[in-house]
Amino acid sequence: MAAGLNGHQTTFLDLGFFREQSAQPIPAVAEGAVFVGHSLGFLWGLQNVLPRIKAIVAINGFTKFCSSDDHSEGVPVRVLSRMIRGLETNPDRVVSDFLKKCGGSAEPERSIESDRLFEGLCWLRDWDGRAAFRDFDGDFLALASKNDPIVPPKLTQDSFQGKEICWHEEAGHLLPLSHPDWCAQKTSEFLDQL
C-alpha cells in the first residue's frame, strides 16, 4: 500500500506482536503528521498520537472494540477473553484462527510475541478512544469493508457517526493486504487535499 502513496514519505510503526530479528522501538510520531492505522493500529493511534497530528486515516478501524452498556455495537467481551485465555496454552492456534476468520493465510508469517500479543488483546478489550476521536479537530478518512467479519459495518458506523465512510463492497478485514491499490488510491486522494 505504501508504494502507491504517490511519493508521500512514510514511517512504519510495528507494535511488536510478531518477532523480528532486529526489533526496533516504536518511533515517535512527528508533530503535524498524518496517522494511518489499520484495525487495532487505529485505536492505538487514538490512544497515543492525538492531538499532535493533523489528520488520521482509519482502515478497518473503530473507536471502541468491545461492547458495553453504552456501546451495543461492539464485540462481546467474551470473544476477547477467550482469545486471551487461548494465548496461555496455544498462541499459534489463536493467531491462526484469527487470520482464517479475517480471510488471510492461516499461518502467521513470523513468530508470535505472546506477551506483547496478550497486551494488545487487553488494549482491544479495555481501550475506549471515543472521547479522543470526538475531540480531534483534524482531517479524517475512514476506509471500511462491507464484508468485514471482525469490524462489522454497524461497529464502523457507530464509531464514526457523522463522518463520511468510504466503503469497499467486497473486501474483508485485511484491506491493506487484500486491496492495497484501492487503499493507496483513496489515501493518496485524501493526502493530496490536505
Side-chain angles (χ1 to χ4, degrees):
M1 175 185 161
L5 292 179
N6 295 338
H8 292 282
Q9 181 182 353
T10 57
T11 300
F12 295 92
L13 306 180
D14 185 340
L15 298 181
F17 301 133
F18 297 95
R19 191 170 300 125
E20 294 289 335
Q21 287 185 337
S22 58
Q24 299 293 320
I26 298 172
V29 176
E31 185 83 27
V34 176
F35 184 85
V36 180
H38 173 258
S39 193
L40 172 59
F42 174 75
L43 183 60
W44 183 91
L46 292 181
Q47 296 292 118
N48 290 279
V49 302
L50 300 184
R52 63 184 184 271
I53 57 172
K54 70 177 180 181
I56 49 179
V57 178
I59 304 177
N60 301 113
F62 43 83
T63 55
K64 183 178 188 305
F65 189 67
C66 281
S67 60
S68 59
D69 291 342
D70 64 344
H71 185 56
S72 61
E73 299 300 345
V75 172
V77 174
R78 70 177 181 277
V79 173
L80 270 294
S81 298
R82 186 169 50 246
M83 291 178 75
I84 289 169
R85 284 193 308 273
L87 283 180
E88 297 173 5
T89 56
N90 195 340
D92 290 328
R93 180 167 182 178
V94 169
V95 173
S96 177
D97 288 348
F98 177 76
L99 291 173
K100 280 192 280 190
K101 185 172 184 178
C102 288
S105 167
E107 296 302 322
E109 296 178 8
R110 298 174 282 169
S111 299
I112 300 163
E113 286 287 356
S114 297
D115 291 345
R116 185 64 168 171
L117 188 54
F118 171 85
E119 189 177 4
L121 290 175
C122 291
W123 298 342
L124 270 178
R125 183 191 64 200
D126 301 335
W127 278 358
D128 184 345
R130 292 177 294 177
F133 181 71
R134 278 193 305 269
D135 293 343
F136 179 68
D137 61 0
D139 292 292
F140 173 69
L141 171 66
L143 304 179
S145 307
K146 289 281 178 87
N147 292 318
D148 191 332
I150 307 299
V151 184
K154 286 185 177 181
L155 175 54
T156 303
Q157 292 164 336
D158 189 64
S159 293
F160 307 133
Q161 293 177 19
K163 304 287 187 181
E164 184 177 349
I165 300 168
C166 186
W167 293 101
H168 194 287
E169 295 294 328
E170 300 166 3
H173 186 65
L174 302 176
L175 265 174
L177 294 177
S178 65
H179 295 77
D181 294 340
W182 184 83
C183 291
Q185 177 191 348
K186 298 297 183 186
T187 303
S188 291
E189 290 170 357
F190 172 73
L191 294 174
D192 290 343
Q193 293 173 2
L194 295 179

